[in-house]
Amino acid sequence: MKRNLFVPTLAVLFLAGIGMATEKKQSGGEAKLQLTQCDLKVSGMTCGGCARSAEARLAKIPGVKSATVNLDSAEAKVDFDSTATTPEKIVAAFNESGGFRAELSTRQS
């Protein structure tokens, strides 16, 4: 009989924890996300696989929320949290790995 109560009790405790975490975020317990976009020029790409690889590398950078790389124009559009990073930090982190190179585009979004 005690075993039958364990799972529902565990579920209630789990859901209560989720509710408390949601309340904390909504009550200002954490900084708000400030989504900003920057444009980068990416060199060294030769195929669609390169563009996908560059997107994946950009997406792994802390603060980056998404990235879209266009092989034909050799440009990347990067959405990032401006409270967590800057375009300059994104370029520096991207360029730490070998292969492709990035620089800030003169055309900013």
Side-chain angles (χ1 to χ4, degrees), residues 9-108:
T9 302
L10 187 60
V12 169
L13 291 174
F14 177 74
L15 292 174
I18 291 174
M20 287 172 37
T22 303
E23 288 175 20
K24 183 178 181 183
K25 288 179 185 175
Q26 291 174 349
S27 67
E30 295 179 18
K32 290 187 177 185
L33 177 77
Q34 291 186 343
L35 205 57
T36 306
Q37 189 175 79
C38 68
D39 295 327
L40 306 178
K41 291 297 278 178
V42 181
S43 60
M45 298 185 299
T46 59
C47 65
C50 292
R52 287 187 298 279
S53 178
E55 284 178 356
R57 272 178 50 187
L58 286 164
K60 290 180 183 178
I61 297 171
V64 171
K65 299 304 170 196
S66 67
T68 304
V69 177
N70 183 307
L71 174 65
D72 296 329
S73 65
E75 290 186 333
K77 291 202 175 293
V78 181
D79 294 321
F80 65 97
D81 178 0
S82 63
T83 64
T85 193
T86 64
E88 293 79 11
K89 288 180 182 178
I90 293 168
V91 168
F94 183 83
N95 289 337
E96 283 179 0
S97 301
F100 317 119
R101 301 289 298 164
E103 62 184 47
L104 286 174
S105 177
T106 55
R107 190 189 104 235
Q108 293 297 308

